[in-house]
Each structure stands twice: as structure tokens, then as C-alpha cells.
Amino acid sequence: DAMVIQNPRYQVTQFGKPVTLSCSQTLNHNVMYWYQQKSSQAPKLLFHYYDKDFNNEADTPDNFQSRRPNTSFCFLDIRSPGLGDAAMYLCATSREGGLQPQHFGDGTRLSIL
Amino acid sequence: EDQVTQSPEALRLQEGESSSLNCSYTVSGLRGLFWYRQDPGKGPEFLFTLYSAGEEKEKERLKATLTKKESFLHITAPKPEDSATYLCAVHTGGGTGNQFYFGTGTSLTVIP
């Protein structure tokens, strides 16, 4: 089945130690998104790629970076994680922009020690 | 400022007791409204897209409607397996200018 896969499902890192989360998709969708979701809060869009074009949300901290080396893979890099970055990170894809529904992975839960 | 508000925050229903969830929005230039279901520890699962006021979509026990200010997700004769958090999201802007705003969701519990 075509899907969005996030690895790892659970990630523990130390305060200030860089961490990378990964997302892969077999849907061949143009657009890939990264969201941050904290407990009992709405998913918050961090950035998205339309093909290779990177779009950063205005309030996404500089500590967060992303790479999309090809259509299938996208990475979220957190350069110096703080305690406030502990959250569920969700990757999503859509066929085109905007009006197409997004298909989500099951997320990576990030804990900061 | 663009805003999406969902109510109630939590809802407990007896099996078979129909009800509605609300998603109200104040955004500049709505392009589409989406409903998702999220189970604990999982990513959101797409349910419906609504594009214009007056539009309705149905799937099994769920029916979504849209007005110019809000959307409702009606649940008819719910079953325990309908228990989940239901999220709405709005898209504003066009082309590759994807502005998405999610609400905080309604946590639905259906009691057998």
C-alpha cells in the first residue's frame, strides 16, 4: 500500500544535541509538509516543499531546518533541541498544493533529556 | 488574524446518540476546509474536503457541512470505534502558497 512512513517512531535526544527525523513516501506526491504537534494542541505547520521549492512558515524557529534530496524523502533537522521542542512531529504529503487532502505518517515522538 | 476554533473540546456520547461537532473559522479567503480523524499515537486520517458554502459530504455515519463561517461534522448513531479526536483544518491562499491552520480538535468518546 502506498503510504507515508516516518522513522523512528520514538526519538530521545539530549538537550542541545542535533537530531534528524526522516520521512519517506510511496505516493509520488509533489508536496511534503512537516508539522509540530504538542500535547492537546493543533498541528502547527513548520514548512513544506513543493517539489524542490522550500517554503518556510514565518514563525518557524531557525533551529529547525529541512532537506528534501528527492521526491520520496524529506528530513527534519533540529540543530540544537531545547526542552520546548519535545513534541510529535508529523510528516504529510499531497498530490499538488492547497486544495488536495494531505496524507499523514504516524509521526515521530521526540523527547528531550 | 486567521483563526480556527473547534467545539466542544471533548464530547462523550452513548452508542447510538447522534451529535454534531463544530469548526468555526475566521480566515481571509477560504480555499478549502478539511476534516481529519486522529487516533492516539497516529497521524491524522483524511475524511472530507469542503470547498464552498452549502456543500455537504457523507461517509458512513459521518456528514460534513459548510457555511461561510463554520463547518459541522454530524455523527449519526455513533459506535465505540468512532472514538477519536476530530480535527478540522482550513486552507487559505492559492497556488503553492499553502497556508494551513488546524483547530485543536474535538475528542470524541463513544460509550458502549
Side-chain angles (χ1 to χ4, degrees):
Chain A
D1 284 343
M3 54 176 44
V4 181
I5 302 168
Q6 291 188 245
N7 285 306
R9 291 296 314 279
Y10 301 92
Q11 176 75 57
V12 181
T13 191
Q14 292 179 332
F15 182 94
K17 185 175 181 180
V19 64
T20 295
L21 311 181
S22 72
C23 177
S24 64
Q25 56 132 341
T26 59
L27 297 162
N28 203 32
H29 283 171
N30 300 75
V31 193
M32 295 188 78
Y33 308 81
W34 279 105
Y35 288 87
Q36 180 191 65
Q37 186 178 26
K38 296 186 177 181
S39 182
S40 301
Q41 294 186 20
K44 181 180 178 300
L45 183 62
L46 296 173
F47 24 61
H48 73 276
Y49 278 92
Y50 193 107
D51 292 324
K52 292 184 177 181
D53 293 333
F54 177 71
N55 298 271
N56 197 33
E57 295 301 300
D59 55 356
T60 298
D62 292 338
N63 199 26
F64 291 84
Q65 304 286 322
S66 184
R67 297 169 283 135
R68 189 180 185 185
N70 54 51
T71 300
S72 301
F73 286 89
C74 196
F75 300 97
L76 171 62
D77 300 308
I78 307 176
R79 293 193 296 188
S80 182
L83 296 178
D85 296 328
M88 173 77 86
Y89 289 88
L90 294 165
C91 173
T93 71
S94 68
R95 192 168 57 200
E96 290 288 338
L99 297 182
Q100 298 298 320
Q102 296 178 25
H103 300 263
F104 284 82
D106 284 336
T108 294
R109 182 163 294 283
L110 179 65
S111 300
I112 314 293
L113 299 180
Chain B
E1 181 181 332
D2 294 339
Q3 195 167 6
V4 179
T5 304
Q6 290 189 246
S7 63
E9 288 187 12
L11 181 63
R12 289 171 65 89
L13 298 173
Q14 290 292 134
E15 184 172 1
E17 178 187 3
S18 300
S19 188
S20 297
L21 314 182
N22 177 265
C23 172
S24 63
Y25 58 91
T26 52
V27 299
S28 51
L30 178 75
R31 302 299 294 271
L33 185 143
F34 303 83
W35 281 99
Y36 290 87
R37 168 193 171 126
Q38 187 172 26
D39 292 298
K42 299 278 191 178
E45 176 188 348
F46 170 71
L47 293 173
F48 303 109
T49 309
L50 301 165
Y51 296 105
S52 58
E55 190 174 0
E56 299 182 352
K57 294 275 181 73
E58 282 190 70
K59 180 181 178 180
E60 296 179 354
R61 296 178 291 281
L62 300 177
K63 180 180 177 180
T65 62
L66 181 65
T67 73
K68 289 186 177 180
K69 293 184 177 181
E70 58 191 348
S71 176
F72 290 94
L73 184 66
H74 307 278
I75 303 177
T76 303
K79 298 182 178 181
E81 53 262 41
D82 296 322
S83 298
T85 295
Y86 290 85
L87 297 165
C88 76
V90 299
H91 171 243
T92 68
T96 60
N98 297 304
Q99 300 295 318
F100 281 98
Y101 302 98
F102 273 86
T104 54
T106 293
S107 176
L108 174 66
T109 303
V110 182
I111 305 162

